[in-house]
Amino acid sequence: MKYTPSTFKKALAAKELYGFCYLHGQQRYLIDAYAAAIIHALGAGEDDVAVIDGDQLDMEQLGDMAVTVSFAPVQVTVINGLSPEATSEADITRLGEIADYLSPQTTLIIKENFLPEGPRNKRAKAQKLRKLAQEKGVLVDVGQKDTRQNLTVAQALAKKEGVQIGQTDLRYLLERCGGDLLKTQNELCKLGSYRLGEPVTRRDIDAFTPRTVELTSFEMARALLRGDVPQAMRLLEDLFSLREEPVSIIAALSTNFCDIFKVKVAGAAYMSASQIEKTFGYRPGDFRIKQAGQNGRGVSQQQIDAIIEALLQCDLALKSTAADPKILLQKLLVEISLLMRRH
């Protein structure tokens, strides 16, 4: 069975969510919240729940835990953060076998680690695992809330944590956290502890909340598009000072230029915003479409094609050579700036 946010609550109330449960989506906060709701509905206490780190998963040990009949009325095993593309075909097959032989008292909840699709990551194993869950148990898509809905959740989180913050500043914090609700919650706790009951301000956010690699790469791309190479270099330096992985930097930077490419191609085909969302998998009202349209106005199709090729070559070099990652990325920024000067 497959459930979405609109059908999840009803299934929860009807006690249909048990056995082999696979949760996926872009917001880790929502995945954690949905898993907690399933555990609560099952009536499981702390002693009835075993948590396994997805990166340290031993499939044989999991099989022993999941199929062993327990004297407890409910037994829940949670795999916390399973990375599909790092899971072997043999382990996927073994998961299917475990799903077939779960003991009646056992519910297995798998929380998927989300990884955006890219040229070198087609999410094939993620699709295979989701299909497996839909056939043998429960597949839950936690969805992706839009900016307004995320702000509503963030306001509830601020109230829950007892943090005073204005709506404008909260929206700024949410943007600085890349729209990630779990990061926003963690930052609210940190800022609230610092302010000790006083309202959190934008100055506090700038001082204590680091930009995400996604937000910084977006600003880096905009700097390159307007020809401000020194600013792009400073932003790159910021990311290295935060110890961001080079492959994460190139992936985030590539996303911005790929957005421009998609919007340009869609514009040439006279596609509407809703058609672009549906065709390329953007969430409804995604601001990335509007931003890509604005940022790509001064970029020709030839330029964006050449920039994406440069990004691809840099990505390959980062993953297949022993060259200094920082030098490779600096070279990339200069190359993109030179491509932007061609007409």
Side-chain angles (χ1 to χ4, degrees), residues 16-221:
E16 297 174 359
L17 303 176
Y18 59 88
F20 186 69
C21 301
Y22 190 95
L23 281 62
H24 71 96
Q26 296 184 31
Q27 287 278 13
R28 183 54 187 267
Y29 172 83
L30 295 178
I31 289 177
D32 289 345
Y34 276 48
I38 293 173
I39 292 170
H40 178 74
L42 290 169
E46 288 186 13
D47 295 337
D48 303 319
V49 180
V51 180
I52 302 173
D53 190 330
D55 292 333
Q56 300 174 359
L57 180 61
D58 183 321
M59 203 59 68
E60 293 308 313
Q61 180 187 9
L62 175 66
D64 291 340
M65 293 174 63
V67 303
T68 301
V69 176
S70 169
F71 290 105
V74 179
Q75 185 64 46
V76 181
T77 299
V78 179
I79 300 178
N80 200 15
L82 180 69
S83 299
E85 301 312 312
T87 305
S88 69
E89 293 290 346
D91 282 349
I92 293 176
T93 300
R94 180 63 178 137
L95 268 178
E97 294 170 351
I98 291 171
D100 287 333
Y101 294 100
L102 282 177
S103 67
Q105 302 97 331
T106 299
T107 289
L108 175 61
I109 299 175
I110 301 177
K111 301 179 186 179
E112 180 188 284
N113 266 346
F114 175 77
L115 185 64
E117 185 170 356
R120 297 172 65 84
N121 171 36
K122 298 301 181 182
R123 294 208 303 248
K125 291 181 180 177
Q127 297 302 332
K128 188 173 289 188
L129 282 164
R130 294 173 192 178
K131 183 179 180 181
L132 179 73
Q134 190 170 352
E135 292 174 350
K136 296 180 178 290
V138 173
L139 176 66
V140 181
D141 180 354
V142 304
Q144 172 72 2
K145 297 181 182 297
D146 58 29
T147 303
R148 179 181 56 80
Q149 292 170 324
N150 278 342
L151 182 60
T152 300
V153 174
Q155 288 173 325
L157 289 173
K159 184 177 180 180
K160 177 184 176 183
E161 301 297 339
V163 178
Q164 295 184 50
I165 183 170
Q167 182 170 303
T168 302
D169 291 330
L170 183 58
R171 184 182 290 110
Y172 177 66
L173 175 62
L174 192 59
E175 291 173 356
R176 199 170 177 96
C177 292
D180 189 307
L181 290 168
L182 188 60
K183 288 181 181 177
T184 302
Q185 182 182 33
N186 292 336
E187 290 303 314
L188 281 169
C189 292
K190 182 173 72 178
L191 291 165
S193 297
Y194 167 71
R195 293 300 294 173
L196 296 174
E198 295 295 321
V200 172
T201 66
R202 180 166 179 152
R203 181 177 294 179
D204 299 325
I205 297 168
D206 287 336
F208 295 102
T209 301
R211 290 184 177 89
T212 62
V213 63
E214 292 80 12
L215 179 59
T216 305
S217 68
F218 173 73
E219 294 176 354
M220 194 188 305

